[in-house]
Structures are given as structure tokens and as C-alpha cells.
Amino acid sequence: TTTTTTTTTTTTTSTRREQLKIIPGEPALCSPRRWQKHGVLFVTYTNSTLVNLYAGGMSADDLYRRYYGRAPPNRDSALSPWEIEME
């Protein structure tokens, strides 16, 4: 069984608290190949970096280029499939 999670950051005037929440819907699936090839620490660091870049405003296309090292596929919309689904 696969569970999809997200981290939500709540900022107050004096403390910063993160909470782990379960996202409803279909579970996310991933292949172990990248984890086996690059190792847990590198993949975890890369994923965390990409999440922070996205939260900081980097576009989905720029994230794709950074992750895969090539131009993203052509799409009918400037929004990523994730962003279209969220609308």
C-alpha cells in the first residue's frame, strides 16, 4: 500500500511548525530505479530542493529541466498537469 503525503508549513510570529498531512485520492507510485541508482540521501535532497524551488515560485517547466536535464514536452497549456487538476 502506498500513501501520499505532503508537508504543510504554518508560520506564527514566534515559531515555525510543520505538519504532515495525508492527501486524499489515488496513491502516488514511484519506481525504485532512481533511488537504487543515486542513493536515498541524494534523491531525498534533490526532491526536497525541487519542492522548495516550486514553493519559491519556480515554474513547472524549469523544474522539469532541472530534474531531467532536457526541455519539457510540449503541452496545450502553460500550466502543469498538477496545476490544471487543482483548478
Side-chain angles (χ1 to χ4, degrees), residues 33-64:
R33 290 179 300 217
R34 184 173 285 270
W35 296 84
Q36 291 168 339
K37 180 178 179 181
H38 299 292
V40 172
L41 291 177
F42 177 80
V43 175
T44 300
Y45 172 78
T46 300
N47 290 342
S48 296
T49 300
L50 293 172
V51 166
N52 286 319
L53 290 171
Y54 183 76
M58 184 177 275
S59 73
D61 286 346
D62 288 339
L63 290 169
Y64 187 97

Side-chain angles (χ1 to χ4, degrees), residues 1 9 11 17-18 22 26 28 31-32 34 38 41 44 52 55 57 62 64 67-69 71-72 74-75 79 84 86:
T1 309
T9 303
T11 304
R17 213 177 75 211
E18 293 187 0
I22 304 298
E26 292 296 316
S31 168
R34 184 173 285 270
H38 299 292
L41 291 177
T44 300
N52 286 319
D62 288 339
Y64 187 97
Y67 189 80
Y68 292 105
N74 293 328
R75 298 190 307 264
L79 298 175
I84 291 169
M86 302 267 306

Side-chain angles (χ1 to χ4, degrees), residues 1-2 5 12 14 22-23 25-26 34 51 53-54 58 71 73 76 80 85 87:
T1 309
T2 304
T5 58
T12 63
S14 62
I22 304 298
I23 300 173
E26 292 296 316
R34 184 173 285 270
V51 166
L53 290 171
Y54 183 76
M58 184 177 275
D76 295 334
S80 71
E85 190 174 305
E87 287 190 329

